[in-house]
Coordinates of all heavy atoms in Angstrom, one line a residue:
M1213 N -28.4 69.5 -84.7 CA -27.3 69.7 -83.8 C -27.7 69.6 -82.3 O -28.7 70.1 -82.0 CB -26.6 71.1 -84.0 CG -25.3 71.3 -83.5 SD -24.8 73.0 -83.4 CE -25.7 73.6 -82.0
S1214 N -26.9 69.0 -81.5 CA -27.2 68.8 -80.1 C -26.6 69.9 -79.2 O -25.5 70.3 -79.5 CB -26.7 67.4 -79.7 OG -27.2 67.1 -78.4
I1215 N -27.4 70.3 -78.2 CA -26.9 71.3 -77.3 C -27.4 70.9 -75.9 O -28.4 70.2 -75.7 CB -27.5 72.7 -77.7 CG1 -27.2 73.7 -76.6 CG2 -29.0 72.6 -78.0 CD1 -27.4 75.1 -77.1
A1216 N -26.6 71.3 -74.9 CA -26.9 70.8 -73.5 C -28.1 71.4 -72.9 O -28.4 72.6 -73.1 CB -25.7 71.2 -72.6
R1217 N -28.9 70.6 -72.2 CA -30.0 71.1 -71.4 C -29.4 71.8 -70.2 O -28.4 71.5 -69.7 CB -30.9 70.0 -70.9 CG -31.9 69.5 -72.0 CD -32.6 68.3 -71.5 NE -33.6 68.7 -70.4 CZ -34.5 67.8 -69.9 NH1 -34.5 66.5 -70.3 NH2 -35.3 68.2 -69.0
L1218 N -30.2 72.8 -69.7 CA -29.8 73.5 -68.5 C -29.8 72.6 -67.3 O -30.7 71.8 -67.1 CB -30.8 74.7 -68.2 CG -30.9 75.8 -69.2 CD1 -32.0 76.8 -68.8 CD2 -29.6 76.5 -69.3
N1219 N -28.7 72.8 -66.4 CA -28.7 72.0 -65.2 C -29.6 72.8 -64.1 O -30.1 73.9 -64.4 CB -27.3 71.8 -64.7 CG -26.6 73.1 -64.4 OD1 -27.2 74.0 -63.9 ND2 -25.3 73.1 -64.7
N1220 N -29.7 72.2 -62.9 CA -30.6 72.7 -61.9 C -30.2 74.1 -61.5 O -31.0 75.0 -61.3 CB -30.7 71.8 -60.7 CG -31.5 70.6 -61.0 OD1 -32.4 70.6 -62.0 ND2 -31.3 69.5 -60.3
Q1221 N -28.9 74.4 -61.4 CA -28.4 75.7 -60.9 C -28.7 76.7 -62.0 O -29.2 77.8 -61.7 CB -26.9 75.6 -60.7 CG -26.4 76.8 -59.9 CD -24.9 77.1 -60.2 OE1 -24.1 76.2 -60.4 NE2 -24.5 78.4 -60.2
E1222 N -28.5 76.4 -63.3 CA -28.8 77.3 -64.4 C -30.3 77.6 -64.4 O -30.7 78.7 -64.7 CB -28.3 76.7 -65.7 CG -26.8 76.6 -65.8 CD -26.4 75.7 -67.0 OE1 -27.0 74.7 -67.3 OE2 -25.3 76.0 -67.5
R1223 N -31.1 76.6 -64.1 CA -32.6 76.8 -64.1 C -33.0 77.8 -63.0 O -33.9 78.6 -63.3 CB -33.3 75.5 -63.8 CG -33.6 74.7 -65.0 CD -33.6 73.2 -64.7 NE -33.2 72.6 -65.9 CZ -34.0 72.3 -66.9 NH1 -35.3 72.5 -66.8 NH2 -33.5 71.8 -68.0
S1224 N -32.4 77.7 -61.8 CA -32.8 78.7 -60.8 C -32.4 80.1 -61.2 O -33.1 81.1 -60.9 CB -32.3 78.3 -59.4 OG -31.1 77.5 -59.5
V1225 N -31.2 80.2 -61.8 CA -30.8 81.5 -62.3 C -31.7 82.1 -63.3 O -32.2 83.2 -63.3 CB -29.3 81.5 -62.9 CG1 -29.0 82.8 -63.5 CG2 -28.3 81.1 -61.8
L1226 N -32.1 81.2 -64.2 CA -33.1 81.5 -65.3 C -34.3 82.1 -64.7 O -34.8 83.2 -65.1 CB -33.4 80.3 -66.1 CG -34.6 80.3 -67.0 CD1 -34.3 80.9 -68.4 CD2 -35.2 78.9 -67.2
L1227 N -34.9 81.4 -63.8 CA -36.2 81.8 -63.2 C -36.1 83.0 -62.4 O -37.0 83.8 -62.2 CB -36.9 80.7 -62.5 CG -37.3 79.6 -63.5 CD1 -37.9 78.3 -62.7 CD2 -38.4 80.1 -64.4
A1228 N -34.9 83.2 -61.8 CA -34.7 84.4 -60.9 C -34.5 85.7 -61.7 O -34.9 86.8 -61.3 CB -33.6 84.2 -60.0
T1229 N -33.9 85.5 -62.9 CA -33.5 86.7 -63.7 C -34.6 87.1 -64.7 O -34.7 88.3 -65.1 CB -32.2 86.5 -64.4 OG1 -32.2 85.3 -65.2 CG2 -31.0 86.4 -63.4
L1230 N -35.3 86.1 -65.2 CA -36.3 86.4 -66.2 C -37.7 86.8 -65.6 O -38.2 86.0 -64.9 CB -36.5 85.3 -67.2 CG -35.3 85.0 -68.1 CD1 -35.5 83.8 -68.9 CD2 -34.9 86.2 -69.0
K1231 N -38.2 88.0 -65.9 CA -39.4 88.4 -65.2 C -40.6 87.9 -66.0 O -40.7 88.1 -67.2 CB -39.4 90.0 -65.3 CG -40.5 90.6 -64.4 CD -40.3 92.1 -64.4 CE -41.6 92.9 -64.3 NZ -42.6 92.4 -63.4
D1232 N -41.5 87.3 -65.2 CA -42.8 86.8 -65.7 C -42.7 85.6 -66.7 O -43.7 85.3 -67.3 CB -43.6 87.9 -66.3 CG -44.0 89.0 -65.3 OD1 -44.1 88.7 -64.1 OD2 -44.1 90.2 -65.7
W1233 N -41.6 85.0 -66.8 CA -41.5 83.8 -67.5 C -41.7 82.6 -66.6 O -41.2 82.6 -65.5 CB -40.1 83.6 -68.2 CG -39.9 84.5 -69.3 CD1 -39.3 85.8 -69.3 CD2 -40.1 84.3 -70.7 NE1 -39.2 86.3 -70.5 CE2 -39.7 85.4 -71.4 CE3 -40.7 83.2 -71.4 CZ2 -39.9 85.5 -72.8 CZ3 -40.8 83.3 -72.8 CH2 -40.4 84.5 -73.5
H1234 N -42.5 81.7 -66.9 CA -42.9 80.6 -66.1 C -42.6 79.2 -66.7 O -42.7 79.1 -67.9 CB -44.4 80.6 -65.7 CG -44.8 81.9 -65.2 ND1 -44.6 82.3 -63.9 CD2 -45.5 82.9 -65.7 CE1 -45.1 83.5 -63.6 NE2 -45.7 83.9 -64.7
L1235 N -42.3 78.2 -65.9 CA -42.1 76.9 -66.5 C -43.5 76.4 -66.9 O -44.5 76.6 -66.3 CB -41.5 75.9 -65.4 CG -40.0 76.1 -65.1 CD1 -39.7 75.3 -63.9 CD2 -39.2 75.6 -66.3
V1236 N -43.5 75.7 -68.0 CA -44.7 75.1 -68.6 C -45.0 73.8 -67.9 O -44.1 73.0 -67.7 CB -44.6 74.9 -70.1 CG1 -45.8 74.2 -70.6 CG2 -44.4 76.2 -70.8
E1237 N -46.2 73.6 -67.5 CA -46.6 72.3 -66.9 C -46.4 71.1 -67.9 O -46.9 71.2 -69.0 CB -48.1 72.4 -66.5 CG -48.7 71.2 -65.8 CD -48.5 71.3 -64.3 OE1 -48.5 72.4 -63.7 OE2 -48.4 70.2 -63.6
G1238 N -45.7 70.1 -67.5 CA -45.7 68.9 -68.3 C -44.6 68.9 -69.4 O -44.6 67.9 -70.1
R1239 N -43.9 70.0 -69.5 CA -42.8 69.9 -70.5 C -41.7 70.9 -70.1 O -41.9 71.8 -69.3 CB -43.3 70.3 -72.0 CG -43.9 71.7 -72.1 CD -44.5 71.9 -73.5 NE -43.4 71.9 -74.5 CZ -43.5 72.6 -75.6 NH1 -44.6 73.3 -75.9 NH2 -42.5 72.6 -76.5
D1240 N -40.5 70.7 -70.7 CA -39.3 71.5 -70.3 C -39.3 72.7 -71.2 O -38.5 72.7 -72.2 CB -38.1 70.7 -70.4 CG -36.9 71.3 -69.6 OD1 -37.2 72.1 -68.7 OD2 -35.8 71.0 -69.9
A1241 N -40.1 73.7 -70.8 CA -40.2 74.9 -71.6 C -40.6 76.1 -70.7 O -41.1 75.8 -69.6 CB -41.3 74.7 -72.7
I1242 N -40.4 77.3 -71.2 CA -40.9 78.5 -70.4 C -41.9 79.3 -71.3 O -41.9 79.2 -72.5 CB -39.7 79.4 -70.0 CG1 -38.8 79.8 -71.2 CG2 -39.0 78.8 -68.9 CD1 -37.8 80.8 -70.9
V1243 N -42.8 80.0 -70.6 CA -43.9 80.7 -71.3 C -44.1 82.1 -70.6 O -43.9 82.2 -69.4 CB -45.2 79.9 -71.3 CG1 -45.7 79.7 -69.9 CG2 -46.2 80.5 -72.2
K1244 N -44.4 83.1 -71.5 CA -44.8 84.4 -71.0 C -45.8 85.0 -71.8 O -45.8 84.8 -73.1 CB -43.5 85.3 -70.9 CG -43.8 86.7 -70.4 CD -42.5 87.5 -70.2 CE -42.7 88.9 -69.8 NZ -41.5 89.7 -69.5
T1245 N -46.8 85.7 -71.2 CA -47.8 86.4 -72.0 C -47.6 87.9 -72.0 O -47.3 88.5 -70.9 CB -49.2 86.1 -71.3 OG1 -49.4 84.7 -71.3 CG2 -50.3 86.8 -72.1
F1246 N -47.6 88.5 -73.2 CA -47.4 89.9 -73.4 C -48.7 90.5 -73.8 O -49.4 90.0 -74.7 CB -46.3 90.1 -74.5 CG -45.0 89.6 -74.1 CD1 -44.7 88.3 -74.4 CD2 -44.0 90.4 -73.5 CE1 -43.4 87.7 -74.1 CE2 -42.8 89.8 -73.2 CZ -42.5 88.5 -73.5
R1247 N -49.1 91.7 -73.3 CA -50.3 92.4 -73.7 C -50.0 93.7 -74.2 O -49.1 94.4 -73.7 CB -51.3 92.4 -72.5 CG -51.9 91.1 -72.2 CD -53.1 91.2 -71.2 NE -53.8 89.9 -71.1 CZ -53.3 88.9 -70.4 NH1 -52.1 89.0 -69.8 NH2 -53.9 87.7 -70.4
F1248 N -50.8 94.2 -75.2 CA -50.6 95.4 -75.9 C -51.9 96.2 -76.0 O -52.9 95.7 -75.7 CB -50.0 95.1 -77.3 CG -48.7 94.4 -77.3 CD1 -48.7 93.0 -77.2 CD2 -47.5 95.0 -77.2 CE1 -47.5 92.3 -77.1 CE2 -46.3 94.3 -77.1 CZ -46.3 92.9 -77.1
A1249 N -51.7 97.4 -76.5 CA -52.9 98.3 -76.6 C -53.9 97.7 -77.6 O -55.1 97.8 -77.5 CB -52.5 99.7 -77.0
D1250 N -53.4 97.2 -78.7 CA -54.2 96.7 -79.8 C -53.4 95.7 -80.7 O -52.3 95.4 -80.4 CB -54.8 97.8 -80.6 CG -53.7 98.7 -81.2 OD1 -52.5 98.3 -81.3 OD2 -53.9 99.9 -81.4
F1251 N -54.1 95.2 -81.7 CA -53.5 94.2 -82.6 C -52.2 94.7 -83.3 O -51.2 94.0 -83.4 CB -54.5 93.7 -83.6 CG -53.9 92.8 -84.6 CD1 -53.6 91.4 -84.2 CD2 -53.7 93.1 -85.9 CE1 -53.1 90.5 -85.1 CE2 -53.1 92.2 -86.8 CZ -52.8 90.9 -86.4
V1252 N -52.3 96.0 -83.7 CA -51.1 96.6 -84.5 C -49.9 96.6 -83.6 O -48.8 96.3 -84.0 CB -51.4 98.0 -85.0 CG1 -50.2 98.7 -85.5 CG2 -52.5 97.9 -86.1
A1253 N -50.1 97.0 -82.3 CA -48.9 97.0 -81.4 C -48.4 95.6 -81.1 O -47.2 95.4 -81.1 CB -49.4 97.7 -80.1
A1254 N -49.3 94.6 -81.0 CA -48.9 93.2 -80.8 C -48.1 92.7 -82.0 O -47.1 92.1 -81.8 CB -50.2 92.4 -80.5
F1255 N -48.6 93.0 -83.2 CA -48.0 92.5 -84.4 C -46.6 93.2 -84.6 O -45.7 92.5 -85.1 CB -48.9 92.7 -85.6 CG -48.6 91.7 -86.6 CD1 -49.3 90.5 -86.7 CD2 -47.6 91.9 -87.6 CE1 -49.0 89.5 -87.6 CE2 -47.3 90.9 -88.5 CZ -48.0 89.7 -88.6
G1256 N -46.5 94.5 -84.2 CA -45.2 95.1 -84.3 C -44.2 94.4 -83.5 O -43.1 94.2 -83.9
F1257 N -44.6 94.1 -82.2 CA -43.7 93.3 -81.3 C -43.4 92.0 -82.0 O -42.2 91.6 -82.0 CB -44.5 93.1 -80.0 CG -43.8 92.1 -79.1 CD1 -42.7 92.5 -78.4 CD2 -44.4 90.9 -78.8 CE1 -42.1 91.6 -77.5 CE2 -43.9 90.0 -77.9 CZ -42.7 90.3 -77.3
M1258 N -44.3 91.3 -82.6 CA -44.1 90.0 -83.2 C -43.1 90.1 -84.3 O -42.2 89.3 -84.5 CB -45.4 89.3 -83.7 CG -46.3 88.9 -82.5 SD -47.9 88.3 -83.1 CE -47.4 86.6 -83.6
S1259 N -43.2 91.2 -85.1 CA -42.2 91.5 -86.1 C -40.8 91.6 -85.6 O -39.8 91.1 -86.2 CB -42.6 92.7 -86.9 OG -43.9 92.6 -87.4
R1260 N -40.7 92.4 -84.5 CA -39.3 92.5 -83.9 C -38.8 91.2 -83.4 O -37.6 90.9 -83.6 CB -39.4 93.5 -82.7 CG -39.8 95.0 -83.1 CD -39.6 96.0 -82.0 NE -40.4 95.8 -80.8 CZ -41.7 96.3 -80.8 NH1 -42.3 96.8 -81.8 NH2 -42.4 96.1 -79.6
V1261 N -39.7 90.4 -82.8 CA -39.3 89.1 -82.3 C -38.9 88.2 -83.4 O -37.9 87.4 -83.3 CB -40.4 88.5 -81.4 CG1 -40.0 87.0 -81.1 CG2 -40.6 89.3 -80.1
A1262 N -39.6 88.3 -84.6 CA -39.2 87.5 -85.7 C -37.8 87.7 -86.2 O -37.0 86.8 -86.5 CB -40.2 87.7 -86.9
L1263 N -37.4 89.0 -86.2 CA -36.1 89.4 -86.6 C -35.0 88.9 -85.6 O -34.0 88.4 -86.0 CB -35.9 90.9 -86.8 CG -36.8 91.5 -87.9 CD1 -36.7 93.0 -88.0 CD2 -36.4 90.9 -89.3
L1264 N -35.4 89.0 -84.3 CA -34.5 88.5 -83.3 C -34.3 87.0 -83.4 O -33.2 86.4 -83.2 CB -35.1 88.8 -81.9 CG -35.0 90.2 -81.4 CD1 -35.8 90.4 -80.1 CD2 -33.6 90.6 -81.2
A1265 N -35.4 86.3 -83.7 CA -35.4 84.8 -83.8 C -34.4 84.4 -84.9 O -33.6 83.5 -84.8 CB -36.8 84.3 -84.0
E1266 N -34.5 85.1 -86.0 CA -33.6 84.8 -87.2 C -32.2 85.1 -86.8 O -31.3 84.3 -87.1 CB -34.0 85.6 -88.4 CG -35.2 85.0 -89.1 CD -34.8 83.7 -89.7 OE1 -34.1 83.6 -90.7 OE2 -35.3 82.7 -89.1
K1267 N -32.0 86.2 -86.1 CA -30.6 86.6 -85.7 C -30.0 85.5 -84.7 O -28.8 85.2 -84.9 CB -30.7 87.9 -85.0 CG -29.3 88.6 -84.7 CD -29.4 90.0 -84.2 CE -28.9 90.1 -82.8 NZ -29.1 91.4 -82.2
H1268 N -30.8 85.0 -83.8 CA -30.4 84.0 -82.8 C -30.4 82.6 -83.4 O -30.0 81.7 -82.7 CB -31.2 84.1 -81.6 CG -31.0 85.3 -80.7 ND1 -30.4 85.3 -79.5 CD2 -31.2 86.6 -81.0 CE1 -30.3 86.5 -79.0 NE2 -30.8 87.3 -79.9
D1269 N -31.0 82.4 -84.6 CA -31.3 81.1 -85.1 C -32.0 80.2 -84.0 O -31.7 79.1 -83.8 CB -30.0 80.4 -85.6 CG -30.3 79.1 -86.4 OD1 -31.5 79.0 -86.9 OD2 -29.5 78.2 -86.4
H1270 N -33.0 80.9 -83.4 CA -33.8 80.2 -82.4 C -35.2 80.8 -82.5 O -35.4 82.0 -82.4 CB -33.2 80.5 -81.0 CG -33.6 79.5 -80.0 ND1 -33.4 78.1 -80.1 CD2 -34.3 79.7 -78.8 CE1 -33.9 77.5 -79.0 NE2 -34.4 78.4 -78.2
H1271 N -36.2 79.9 -82.6 CA -37.5 80.4 -83.0 C -38.6 80.0 -81.9 O -38.6 78.9 -81.4 CB -37.9 79.8 -84.3 CG -36.8 80.2 -85.4 ND1 -35.7 79.4 -85.5 CD2 -36.8 81.2 -86.2 CE1 -35.0 80.0 -86.5 NE2 -35.6 81.1 -86.9
P1272 N -39.5 81.0 -81.7 CA -40.5 80.8 -80.6 C -41.7 79.9 -81.1 O -42.0 79.9 -82.3 CB -41.0 82.2 -80.3 CG -40.8 82.9 -81.6 CD -39.6 82.4 -82.3
E1273 N -42.3 79.3 -80.2 CA -43.7 78.8 -80.4 C -44.5 80.0 -79.9 O -44.3 80.5 -78.8 CB -44.0 77.6 -79.6 CG -43.1 76.4 -80.0 CD -43.3 75.2 -79.0 OE1 -44.3 75.1 -78.4 OE2 -42.4 74.4 -79.0
W1274 N -45.5 80.4 -80.6 CA -46.3 81.5 -80.1 C -47.8 81.5 -80.6 O -48.1 80.8 -81.5 CB -45.7 82.9 -80.4 CG -45.3 83.2 -81.8 CD1 -45.7 82.5 -83.0 CD2 -44.5 84.3 -82.3 NE1 -45.1 83.1 -84.1 CE2 -44.4 84.2 -83.7 CE3 -43.8 85.3 -81.6 CZ2 -43.7 85.1 -84.4 CZ3 -43.1 86.2 -82.4 CH2 -43.1 86.1 -83.8
F1275 N -48.6 82.3 -79.8 CA -50.0 82.3 -80.0 C -50.5 83.7 -79.9 O -50.1 84.4 -78.9 CB -50.7 81.4 -79.0 CG -52.2 81.3 -79.1 CD1 -52.8 80.5 -80.1 CD2 -53.0 82.0 -78.2 CE1 -54.1 80.4 -80.2 CE2 -54.4 81.9 -78.3 CZ -54.9 81.1 -79.3
N1276 N -51.2 84.2 -80.8 CA -51.7 85.6 -80.8 C -53.2 85.6 -80.9 O -53.7 85.0 -81.8 CB -51.0 86.4 -81.9 CG -51.7 87.7 -82.2 OD1 -52.2 87.9 -83.4 ND2 -51.8 88.6 -81.3
V1277 N -53.8 86.4 -80.1 CA -55.2 86.8 -80.3 C -55.3 88.3 -80.0 O -55.0 88.7 -78.9 CB -56.2 86.0 -79.3 CG1 -57.6 86.5 -79.5 CG2 -56.1 84.6 -79.5
Y1278 N -55.6 89.0 -81.0 CA -55.8 90.5 -80.9 C -54.6 91.2 -80.3 O -53.5 91.3 -80.9 CB -57.1 90.9 -80.3 CG -57.3 92.4 -80.3 CD1 -57.3 93.1 -81.5 CD2 -57.6 93.1 -79.1 CE1 -57.5 94.5 -81.5 CE2 -57.8 94.5 -79.2 CZ -57.8 95.1 -80.4 OH -58.0 96.5 -80.4
N1279 N -54.7 91.5 -79.0 CA -53.6 92.3 -78.4 C -52.7 91.5 -77.4 O -51.9 92.0 -76.7 CB -54.2 93.5 -77.5 CG -55.0 93.0 -76.4 OD1 -55.4 91.9 -76.3 ND2 -55.2 93.9 -75.4
R1280 N -52.9 90.2 -77.5 CA -52.2 89.2 -76.6 C -51.3 88.3 -77.4 O -51.7 87.8 -78.4 CB -53.2 88.4 -75.8 CG -52.6 87.4 -74.8 CD -53.7 86.9 -73.8 NE -54.8 86.3 -74.5 CZ -54.9 85.0 -74.7 NH1 -53.9 84.2 -74.3 NH2 -56.0 84.5 -75.3
V1281 N -50.0 88.2 -76.9 CA -49.0 87.3 -77.6 C -48.5 86.4 -76.5 O -47.9 86.9 -75.5 CB -47.9 88.1 -78.2 CG1 -46.9 87.1 -78.9 CG2 -48.4 89.1 -79.3
E1282 N -48.7 85.1 -76.6 CA -48.1 84.2 -75.7 C -47.0 83.4 -76.3 O -47.1 82.9 -77.4 CB -49.2 83.2 -75.3 CG -48.9 82.2 -74.2 CD -50.0 81.3 -74.0 OE1 -51.1 81.7 -73.5 OE2 -49.8 80.1 -74.2
I1283 N -45.8 83.5 -75.7 CA -44.6 83.0 -76.3 C -44.1 81.8 -75.4 O -43.9 82.0 -74.2 CB -43.5 84.0 -76.4 CG1 -43.9 85.1 -77.4 CG2 -42.2 83.4 -76.9 CD1 -42.9 86.2 -77.6
T1284 N -43.8 80.7 -76.1 CA -43.2 79.5 -75.4 C -41.8 79.3 -76.0 O -41.7 79.3 -77.2 CB -44.1 78.3 -75.6 OG1 -45.4 78.5 -75.0 CG2 -43.5 77.0 -74.9
L1285 N -40.9 79.1 -75.1 CA -39.5 78.8 -75.6 C -39.0 77.5 -75.1 O -39.2 77.1 -73.9 CB -38.5 79.9 -75.1 CG -38.8 81.3 -75.6 CD1 -37.8 82.3 -75.0 CD2 -38.8 81.4 -77.1
T1286 N -38.4 76.7 -76.0 CA -37.8 75.4 -75.6 C -36.8 75.2 -76.7 O -36.8 75.8 -77.8 CB -38.7 74.3 -75.4 OG1 -38.1 73.2 -74.8 CG2 -39.4 73.9 -76.7
T1287 N -35.9 74.2 -76.5 CA -34.9 73.9 -77.5 C -35.1 72.5 -78.0 O -34.8 71.5 -77.2 CB -33.4 74.1 -76.9 OG1 -33.3 75.5 -76.5 CG2 -32.4 73.8 -78.0
H1288 N -35.6 72.3 -79.2 CA -35.8 71.0 -79.7 C -34.5 70.2 -79.8 O -34.5 69.0 -79.6 CB -36.6 71.1 -81.1 CG -37.8 72.0 -81.0 ND1 -37.9 73.2 -81.6 CD2 -38.9 71.8 -80.2 CE1 -39.1 73.7 -81.3 NE2 -39.7 73.0 -80.5
D1289 N -33.5 70.9 -80.2 CA -32.2 70.3 -80.3 C -31.6 69.8 -79.0 O -30.7 68.9 -79.0 CB -31.1 71.2 -80.9 CG -31.5 71.7 -82.3 OD1 -32.3 71.0 -83.0 OD2 -31.0 72.7 -82.8
A1290 N -32.1 70.3 -77.8 CA -31.7 69.8 -76.5 C -32.8 69.0 -75.9 O -32.6 68.4 -74.8 CB -31.4 71.0 -75.6
D1291 N -33.9 68.9 -76.5 CA -35.1 68.2 -75.9 C -35.4 68.8 -74.6 O -35.8 68.1 -73.6 CB -34.8 66.7 -75.8 CG -36.1 65.9 -75.7 OD1 -37.1 66.4 -76.3 OD2 -36.1 64.8 -75.2
G1292 N -35.3 70.2 -74.5 CA -35.7 70.9 -73.2 C -35.0 72.2 -73.2 O -34.6 72.7 -74.3
L1293 N -35.0 72.9 -72.1 CA -34.5 74.2 -72.0 C -32.9 74.3 -72.1 O -32.2 73.4 -71.5 CB -34.8 74.8 -70.6 CG -36.3 75.3 -70.5 CD1 -36.6 75.6 -69.0 CD2 -36.6 76.4 -71.4
S1294 N -32.4 75.3 -72.8 CA -31.0 75.5 -73.0 C -30.7 77.0 -72.8 O -31.6 77.8 -72.7 CB -30.5 75.0 -74.3 OG -30.9 75.9 -75.3
Q1295 N -29.4 77.3 -72.9 CA -29.0 78.7 -72.8 C -29.6 79.5 -73.9 O -29.8 80.7 -73.8 CB -27.5 78.8 -72.9 CG -26.7 78.2 -71.7 CD -26.8 79.1 -70.5 OE1 -27.4 80.2 -70.5 NE2 -26.3 78.7 -69.3
R1296 N -29.9 78.9 -75.0 CA -30.5 79.6 -76.2 C -31.9 80.2 -75.8 O -32.2 81.3 -76.2 CB -30.7 78.7 -77.3 CG -29.5 78.2 -78.0 CD -29.8 77.4 -79.2 NE -28.6 76.7 -79.7 CZ -28.6 75.8 -80.6 NH1 -29.7 75.4 -81.2 NH2 -27.4 75.2 -81.0
D1297 N -32.6 79.5 -74.9 CA -33.9 80.0 -74.5 C -33.7 81.2 -73.5 O -34.5 82.2 -73.6 CB -34.7 78.9 -73.8 CG -34.9 77.7 -74.7 OD1 -35.5 77.9 -75.8 OD2 -34.5 76.6 -74.4
I1298 N -32.7 81.2 -72.7 CA -32.4 82.3 -71.8 C -32.0 83.5 -72.7 O -32.6 84.6 -72.4 CB -31.2 82.0 -70.9 CG1 -31.6 80.8 -70.0 CG2 -30.9 83.2 -70.0 CD1 -30.5 80.5 -69.0
K1299 N -31.2 83.3 -73.6 CA -30.7 84.4 -74.5 C -31.9 85.0 -75.2 O -32.0 86.3 -75.3 CB -29.6 83.9 -75.5 CG -28.3 83.7 -74.8 CD -27.2 83.8 -75.9 CE -25.8 83.5 -75.3 NZ -25.4 82.1 -75.5
L1300 N -32.7 84.2 -75.9 CA -33.8 84.7 -76.6 C -34.8 85.4 -75.7 O -35.4 86.5 -76.1 CB -34.5 83.6 -77.5 CG -35.5 84.1 -78.5 CD1 -35.0 85.2 -79.4 CD2 -36.1 83.0 -79.3
A1301 N -35.1 84.8 -74.6 CA -36.1 85.4 -73.7 C -35.6 86.8 -73.2 O -36.4 87.7 -73.2 CB -36.3 84.5 -72.5
T1302 N -34.3 86.9 -73.0 CA -33.8 88.2 -72.6 C -33.9 89.2 -73.7 O -34.3 90.4 -73.5 CB -32.3 88.0 -72.2 OG1 -32.2 87.1 -71.1 CG2 -31.7 89.3 -71.7
A1303 N -33.6 88.8 -74.9 CA -33.8 89.7 -76.1 C -35.2 90.1 -76.3 O -35.5 91.2 -76.7 CB -33.2 89.0 -77.3
I1304 N -36.1 89.1 -76.1 CA -37.6 89.4 -76.3 C -38.0 90.4 -75.3 O -38.8 91.4 -75.6 CB -38.4 88.1 -76.2 CG1 -38.1 87.2 -77.5 CG2 -39.9 88.4 -76.0 CD1 -38.7 85.8 -77.4
D1305 N -37.6 90.3 -74.1 CA -38.0 91.2 -73.0 C -37.5 92.6 -73.4 O -38.2 93.6 -73.1 CB -37.5 90.8 -71.7 CG -38.3 89.7 -71.0 OD1 -39.4 89.4 -71.5 OD2 -37.9 89.1 -70.0
A1306 N -36.4 92.7 -74.0 CA -35.8 94.0 -74.3 C -36.6 94.6 -75.5 O -36.6 95.9 -75.7 CB -34.3 93.9 -74.7
A1307 N -37.2 93.8 -76.3 CA -38.0 94.3 -77.5 C -39.4 94.6 -77.1 O -40.2 95.1 -77.9 CB -38.0 93.2 -78.6
F1308 N -39.8 94.3 -75.9 CA -41.2 94.5 -75.4 C -41.5 96.0 -75.2 O -40.7 96.7 -74.6 CB -41.5 93.7 -74.2 CG -42.8 93.9 -73.6 CD1 -44.0 93.8 -74.4 CD2 -43.0 94.1 -72.3 CE1 -45.3 93.9 -73.9 CE2 -44.3 94.3 -71.7 CZ -45.4 94.2 -72.5
Ligands
H2B2251 N1 -35.7 77.0 -82.4 C1 -36.0 76.4 -81.3 N2 -36.9 77.0 -80.5 N3 -35.4 75.2 -81.0 C2 -34.5 74.6 -81.7 O1 -34.0 73.6 -81.4 C3 -34.2 75.3 -82.9 C4 -34.8 76.5 -83.3 N4 -33.3 74.7 -83.7 N5 -34.5 77.1 -84.4 C5 -32.7 75.5 -84.8 C6 -33.6 76.5 -85.4 C7 -32.2 74.4 -85.8 O2 -33.3 73.8 -86.4 C8 -31.3 75.0 -86.8 C9 -30.8 74.0 -87.8 O3 -30.2 75.5 -86.1

């Protein structure tokens, strides 16, 4: 299914409202790194995000080492950033 990419105005709103999410160099995506006390805390967060991803039908690219979780969001169906990424990023921040 196709969905619209964010326009320039939506992008500035996105970056102004989402804390510590950054544009990825060389692709239309955003990334944020989350740090936790230990692996169990990090994995608990990943479990919450997994449920959110299913609920939103939007799934993160992510990388975990011990207490660090790096999450990248983009919309393959839009070939870049869409409102779905804003919505999921906001929900992820609330689960942190
Ligand atoms: N997740 C992400 N990050 N991007 C997508 O384009 C996407 C997704 N598409 N999760 C969804 C699932 C799509 O495959 C289903 C069919 O809606």
Side-chain angles (χ1 to χ4, degrees):
M1213 197 196 73
S1214 188
I1215 173 168
R1217 278 176 70 175
L1218 295 177
N1219 64 35
N1220 286 338
Q1221 196 206 326
E1222 290 166 328
R1223 270 151 213 277
S1224 26
V1225 172
L1226 163 87
L1227 290 174
T1229 54
L1230 292 176
K1231 190 173 146 46
D1232 297 331
W1233 289 89
H1234 305 286
L1235 284 171
V1236 176
E1237 181 91 29
R1239 60 182 296 207
D1240 197 21
I1242 50 174
V1243 64
K1244 180 171 177 176
T1245 299
F1246 299 86
R1247 285 192 174 74
F1248 301 86
D1250 54 26
F1251 177 72
V1252 170
F1255 207 93
F1257 169 72
M1258 292 175 78
S1259 303
R1260 296 193 294 281
V1261 171
L1263 296 176
L1264 286 172
E1266 279 297 288
K1267 191 172 114 185
H1268 289 245
D1269 191 23
H1270 199 60
H1271 302 84
E1273 299 175 19
W1274 54 10
F1275 181 77
N1276 161 244
V1277 178
Y1278 186 54
N1279 66 341
R1280 179 162 60 92
V1281 179
E1282 188 184 293
I1283 298 183
T1284 300
L1285 298 178
T1286 189
T1287 302
H1288 307 114
D1289 297 340
D1291 204 23
L1293 285 169
S1294 76
Q1295 291 288 353
R1296 290 183 194 172
D1297 300 303
I1298 300 184
K1299 285 208 183 93
L1300 186 57
T1302 304
I1304 288 172
D1305 281 350
F1308 179 49

